[in-house]
Amino acid sequence: MFLSLRAEVAGALSDALDSLDVETTDLGIEDPPESVDAVLASSVAFRLAAEVGAPPPQLAGDLAEAIDPSTYDYIESVSQAGPYVNFHPSQAYYDATLQAAGEEEFGRLDEKGETVVVEHTSANPTGPVHVGRARNPIIGDALANVLDFAGYDVSRHYYVNDAGRQMAVFTWAYETFEESDLPEPARERGDYDLVRYYRKGNEFLEEASESASENAEAEIRSILEGLEEGDETTYERVEEVVDGVLSGMRESLDRLPVNFDEFVKETRFIRDGSTEDLVARLKDTEYAVYEEDAWQLDLPSFEKNLVFLRSDGTSLYTTRDLAHHEWKFANFDRAVTVLGEDHKLQAEQLRETLDVLGNDTDQLDSVYYSWINLPEGGMSTRQGTGIDLDDLLDESIARAREEVESRLDSRIRDDELGEEDVARIARQVGIGAVRYDIVAKQPAKSITFEWERALDFEAQSAPYVQYVHARTCGILSEAQHASKSRADPPREDAADGVPETVDTTHLTTDEERELLAVIARFPAVVDRAADELAPHVVATYTRTFAEAFNAFYRECPVLSADGEVRTQRLALVAAARQTVANALGLLGVAAPESM
C-alpha cells in the first residue's frame, strides 16, 4: 500500500505544482522528519522557493492548500510544517495494508517483463568453499531473491573456471600423486578429498628441482593447450577433477542454502568457437598491440594493458569471460555479477573492452564486496590454512544449540520438544546468524564475523528478528487453541483464528499504527533494494520491523483483549508474521515457528 500511497502523493504534488504554474521533475518525496506525524513528506519547497520567489514555508503552505485529500483513496489530510508538505494516510490505507499483508506473497511486485542473470560465487573449483569468499554466495543469493520478488525473471548462475592454469595444475597433480602421498582428508567428501592433490601439487612445484619442475610444467602446459585445441580427452581429464570438487562445494552451498539454475563452464566458450572469434575481433581493434610475447589491449582508461592471448595461442580467463558476457547479453536483458573487491580492476577493463566490441554495457552491473574475516586470522585455499565454510557453519550451529537449549530447557524436559525439534531450531538459528550478519552489512565494508554479536538474541541480529516470527506464531497458535477449546463454531473464512476480511478501526494506539505503517513499507523496501542492488536494505528493514513489533507486543495485549480489538490485533499479528517471514526469506534466513 505504501507504493500506492506514494503514487498518490506524487500525483497530488504534480497537480498542485501545475496549479501554481511551477514545473519540476523532482518532487522531493521522502520520509518525514521525526518531529512530523506523517507517513510521507515532500521537501520540494526547498528547491523551488527561489524560482517561485517565496520563502519555503510559504510555498509549502500554498502546495498543501492546493491539494484536496477527498479526491484520493489513501490520503486523509495534508499539512505544512516549515518547508515540508506532509501527507497523512487514511483509514482505507491502513485497512488495505492489513488486508494485503495477510497474503502469502505480500511484498512481491508486479512482473517487470525483464530477464536478469545474476552470477555469483563462481569460486575456482580448487577445494572447499572458505570463509573469506562466503560473502559472495550470501550476498548473491539474497540479491537474486530480491530481484525475483521485485518482479524480474531471474536466473542464478555459477561460472565455473575449468580452463585456467589452476585446473591444469590440479589435473596434473591428481594424475601424478598417489593416495599414500597425501594426508587424511578433513572430511569424507569430494572437495576435501581432491584438494589434497592440489595442495600437494603446489607444494611440489615450489620445492622440486629445476628439471623436475620443468617436466611438470611441460605436462601442465600440454593440458592447457589440449583444452584450447578442443581435445576431447583433455576435457574429460579436467572434467573429472572439476566435477568432483564442484559436487562437494555444492554440498557446502546447499547448507546455506544457496541454489543455482545453471553452472556455466568456461570451456563452453572455447568449444563453441566464441573465444576464438572474440580474439580475432580484439586483434582488429585500434587498441590491439603485440608486446612482451602476448596480444594485449592498450585501453585509454587504464595504465596496465589487458592481455588477451599468450604467445603460445592460449587464451586467458578474461578473454573467455568476455565471450561469456557477450553470451549473457544475447540471452538476458540484464547481467548482474557479484565480485570480490580484488576483481574490480579486471571487471572495469572487461566492461571497457565489451564497449570497444560494440556491446551495450548498460546491461551490465557489478556488485563488489569486501572481505569477511574471523578473529582467528587469515585464510588461503592454496596453502590449506583457511577456515572452511563448513567449519563456520558447524561452529555456528553448535553455539546456537547451546543458546537454544538454555532457553528451551523446561520445554525439552517436559518432552514438548524432541531432539529433531531442537536440532532444527539450532540449524535455523545458527545458519541464519551467519547469513544475516554477513548480508546485513553494506558489501563494500569489510567485516569481522563475531559469534557473540551474530547469535545475540537481544541485539539486532538474526535471532532477534527470528524470535519475532516465532512470537507471532506462538500468539496465533494459542489463539487457535483457545478457539478450539471454547468449541467455537468453525468459520470458513478463518485461518489461525483470524477472519480473512477485517478492518483497522479498533487499532488506534501509536504502537498499532506504527506497526501497520512499517508493514505497509515492505513493498517499497523490496523496490529500493532491487533498484539499488542492495539486499542489506531488507536487513535494515527487518530490524526496524522487529522494534515496531516488540513495542506493539509490550503495549497491546492480544489474547486477553476483547471482541473486535482482539480480532483486529490477531489480524495485525498475522500480517506481521507474513511480512517478517517474507523479509527473512529474501535474505535466505529461516523463519522458525518456535525458539
Side-chain angles (χ1 to χ4, degrees), residues 411-483:
R411 296 183 63 186
I412 294 171
R413 288 199 311 270
D414 296 338
D415 294 328
E416 293 180 38
L417 292 173
E419 166 60 26
E420 187 175 327
D421 296 311
V422 174
R424 171 184 52 79
I425 296 169
R427 186 174 61 254
Q428 290 176 323
V429 173
I431 293 178
V434 171
R435 286 198 61 139
Y436 190 93
D437 196 66
I438 290 173
V439 79
K441 310 297 191 304
Q442 292 187 33
K445 295 182 178 179
S446 62
I447 61 172
T448 297
F449 182 85
E450 297 175 350
W451 302 108
E452 291 75 14
R453 182 190 65 232
L455 289 167
D456 190 341
F457 279 64
E458 308 303 327
Q460 294 187 334
S461 59
Y464 176 73
V465 179
Q466 288 174 311
Y467 197 73
V468 167
H469 183 266
R471 179 165 275 165
T472 62
C473 291
I475 293 170
L476 294 171
S477 178
E478 285 189 47
Q480 190 176 38
H481 180 74
S483 177

Side-chain angles (χ1 to χ4, degrees), residues 15-81:
D15 290 344
L17 288 166
D18 285 343
S19 70
L20 299 176
D21 294 324
V22 180
E23 294 184 6
T24 182
T25 57
D26 184 359
L27 298 174
I29 300 173
E30 57 190 56
D31 292 339
E34 291 185 8
S35 59
V36 175
D37 180 21
V39 172
L40 282 170
S42 170
S43 59
V44 69
F46 270 128
R47 285 180 287 279
L48 297 180
E51 178 183 336
V52 174
Q58 180 182 325
L59 178 56
D62 291 342
L63 288 171
E65 289 181 8
I67 296 172
D68 179 4
S70 66
T71 61
Y72 299 97
D73 293 329
Y74 298 139
I75 300 175
E76 175 70 23
S77 62
V78 183
S79 65
Q80 173 255 330

Side-chain angles (χ1 to χ4, degrees), residues 75-91:
I75 300 175
E76 175 70 23
S77 62
V78 183
S79 65
Q80 173 255 330
Y84 290 96
V85 183
N86 302 306
F87 295 85
H88 309 268
S90 65
Q91 183 69 39

Side-chain angles (χ1 to χ4, degrees), residues 224-272:
L224 284 170
E225 291 171 352
L227 290 173
E228 204 76 26
E229 293 165 2
D231 179 66
E232 196 63 38
T233 300
T234 305
Y235 283 131
E236 291 173 359
R237 291 165 62 194
V238 174
E239 188 175 62
E240 182 179 359
V241 174
V242 169
D243 289 353
V245 176
L246 202 57
S247 67
M249 296 173 74
R250 291 176 70 172
E251 287 189 43
S252 291
L253 295 170
D254 285 345
R255 296 182 68 187
L256 281 170
V258 171
N259 300 303
F260 295 90
D261 298 306
E262 189 172 352
F263 286 77
V264 181
K265 292 185 174 179
E266 264 189 289
T267 49
R268 170 179 186 163
F269 305 103
I270 298 175
R271 301 175 83 165
D272 68 6

Side-chain angles (χ1 to χ4, degrees), residues 361-594:
T361 52
D362 287 342
Q363 292 177 262
L364 179 62
D365 290 293
S366 297
V367 176
Y368 300 103
Y369 66 91
S370 188
W371 310 122
I372 172 174
N373 300 302
L374 294 178
E376 288 83 346
M379 307 156 209
S380 167
T381 303
R382 190 178 69 84
Q383 295 295 336
T385 59
I387 299 172
D388 296 320
L389 175 61
D390 287 307
D391 297 331
L392 177 69
L393 297 181
D394 287 348
E395 180 72 12
S396 190
I397 292 170
R399 290 183 181 234
R401 184 179 180 112
E402 291 178 7
E403 182 68 25
V404 168
E405 286 179 339
S406 69
R407 288 172 173 268
L408 299 176
D409 184 54
S410 61
R411 296 183 63 186
I412 294 171
R413 288 199 311 270
D414 296 338
D415 294 328
E416 293 180 38
L417 292 173
E419 166 60 26
E420 187 175 327
D421 296 311
V422 174
R424 171 184 52 79
I425 296 169
R427 186 174 61 254
Q428 290 176 323
V429 173
I431 293 178
V434 171
R435 286 198 61 139
Y436 190 93
D437 196 66
I438 290 173
V439 79
K441 310 297 191 304
Q442 292 187 33
K445 295 182 178 179
S446 62
I447 61 172
T448 297
F449 182 85
E450 297 175 350
W451 302 108
E452 291 75 14
R453 182 190 65 232
L455 289 167
D456 190 341
F457 279 64
E458 308 303 327
Q460 294 187 334
S461 59
Y464 176 73
V465 179
Q466 288 174 311
Y467 197 73
V468 167
H469 183 266
R471 179 165 275 165
T472 62
C473 291
I475 293 170
L476 294 171
S477 178
E478 285 189 47
Q480 190 176 38
H481 180 74
S483 177
K484 289 179 180 178
S485 66
R486 292 197 306 266
D488 290 345
R491 299 183 55 164
E492 293 184 1
D493 64 341
D496 293 328
V498 181
E500 289 186 1
T501 303
V502 64
D503 61 38
T504 61
T505 52
H506 293 277
L507 301 178
T508 57
T509 68
D510 290 343
E511 290 78 15
E512 289 164 328
R513 291 289 161 162
E514 176 62 19
L515 181 55
L516 275 168
V518 173
I519 289 172
R521 286 178 179 270
F522 180 52
V525 170
V526 175
D527 187 47
R528 179 188 164 195
D531 185 57
E532 297 179 6
L533 301 178
H536 70 273
V537 167
V538 180
T540 301
Y541 170 80
T542 62
R543 293 194 291 266
T544 301
F545 181 94
E547 290 170 357
F549 182 84
N550 288 336
F552 160 78
Y553 181 79
R554 287 192 303 269
E555 302 299 328
C556 304
V558 178
L559 298 175
S560 61
D562 296 323
E564 281 300 308
V565 173
R566 183 179 190 273
T567 297
Q568 291 181 17
R569 285 181 178 174
L570 279 172
L572 182 55
V573 171
R577 178 183 63 177
Q578 191 63 60
T579 304
V580 73
N582 289 356
L584 287 172
L586 295 183
L587 301 175
V589 175
E593 294 185 3
S594 59

